[in-house]
Amino acid sequence: LVLGCFGVEVCVWVSLGSSGINAEYGRAVRRVSNIRHFGSGSNRPSSGTESSAGFSDIEEGLKGPQVVYENTYQLAPKDSQKFPTKKAEDIMKNVFLTHLLDSKYNSDTCKNLTTQITETVKTQVKAELGNNNRFKVVVLVMIGANYGQGARVASRCLWYPQYDRFAQYEYHNESLFAVGIVYGVYYE
């Protein structure tokens, strides 16, 4: 999701976590419910959108048993699963210094640079969280030209303050400034 580049020469890129979306193919993944067909002799899960005639084609393409996940009813993260804000700040600092240390501002290259930094930060933060995390990771990176002007970055979020967290990092040199924010929003 690209928010765009503005006339003030500031490039913005937002990257959302991919829960519920198949990132490889770019289409939505349908959640299968646990409703069973009765009366037809079938004991297959249904999503409520397929007809019974279309199931034979789908079943032939599947190999192995179909996995049905149950709800865990976990409404709060465990103490060991809190969002690591300090580690997220360290990740952003390392990525910013790696990509921007001796960079000069150019609007064309900064478009690609914001995308690279955003994706790198997102993958490293997700790797830090591990596979069994319940946090939606949202990364916002802004790069702009440093002409001595003032710039203020603000965001407002509706979240649960006991569990949801954010980390931010700022970088600037004589040619550019960069601001990165990582949001960790807990979801059930």
Side-chain angles (χ1 to χ4, degrees):
L1 169 69
V2 177
L3 291 180
C5 289
F6 306 103
V8 188
E9 295 191 16
V10 175
C11 295
V12 179
W13 181 265
V14 176
S15 175
L16 301 174
S18 63
S19 84
I21 294 177
N22 188 339
E24 184 178 341
Y25 298 107
R27 57 183 180 223
V29 175
R30 187 173 19 108
R31 183 173 287 166
V32 177
S33 66
N34 203 11
I35 299 172
R36 303 288 182 196
H37 290 282
F38 293 105
S40 65
S42 173
N43 204 18
R44 296 178 292 236
S46 168
S47 65
T49 58
E50 298 93 14
S51 66
S52 59
F55 257 112
S56 62
D57 298 334
I58 295 172
E59 286 179 353
E60 289 175 4
L62 296 177
K63 294 185 173 108
Q66 184 174 0
V67 178
V68 178
Y69 295 102
E70 297 292 327
N71 195 348
T72 62
Y73 300 104
Q74 182 179 349
L75 300 177
K78 298 174 185 173
D79 289 334
S80 63
Q81 293 178 338
K82 300 282 185 177
F83 187 75
T85 56
K86 181 63 178 151
K87 290 181 181 177
E89 287 176 8
D90 292 341
I91 288 170
M92 278 193 294
K93 180 180 179 180
N94 291 336
V95 171
F96 276 32
L97 291 177
T98 302
H99 286 76
L100 301 174
L101 189 59
D102 293 323
S103 297
K104 301 287 183 193
Y105 183 81
N106 182 354
S107 61
D108 296 330
T109 59
C110 284
K111 289 178 188 179
N112 296 330
L113 201 55
T114 54
T115 306
Q116 289 174 352
I117 291 173
T118 302
E119 293 300 322
T120 304
V121 169
K122 183 181 74 170
T123 55
Q124 288 184 11
V125 168
K126 282 187 171 188
E128 183 65 38
L129 287 171
N131 291 335
N132 295 327
N133 72 66
R134 299 177 73 100
F135 285 98
K136 170 76 74 176
V137 177
V138 180
V139 180
L140 171 69
V141 174
M142 295 177 57
I143 299 176
N146 188 4
Y147 295 129
Q149 78 279 14
R152 200 173 279 254
V153 176
S155 64
R156 299 180 82 184
C157 300
L158 181 63
W159 64 13
Y160 197 56
Q162 289 179 328
Y163 309 128
D164 302 335
R165 299 280 187 259
F166 73 96
Q168 63 184 3
Y169 183 73
E170 300 172 17
Y171 175 82
H172 61 279
N173 61 20
E174 62 277 349
S175 176
L176 59 86
F177 70 91
V179 178
I181 305 172
V182 176
Y183 298 98
V185 182
Y186 185 79
Y187 63 98
E188 292 100 24

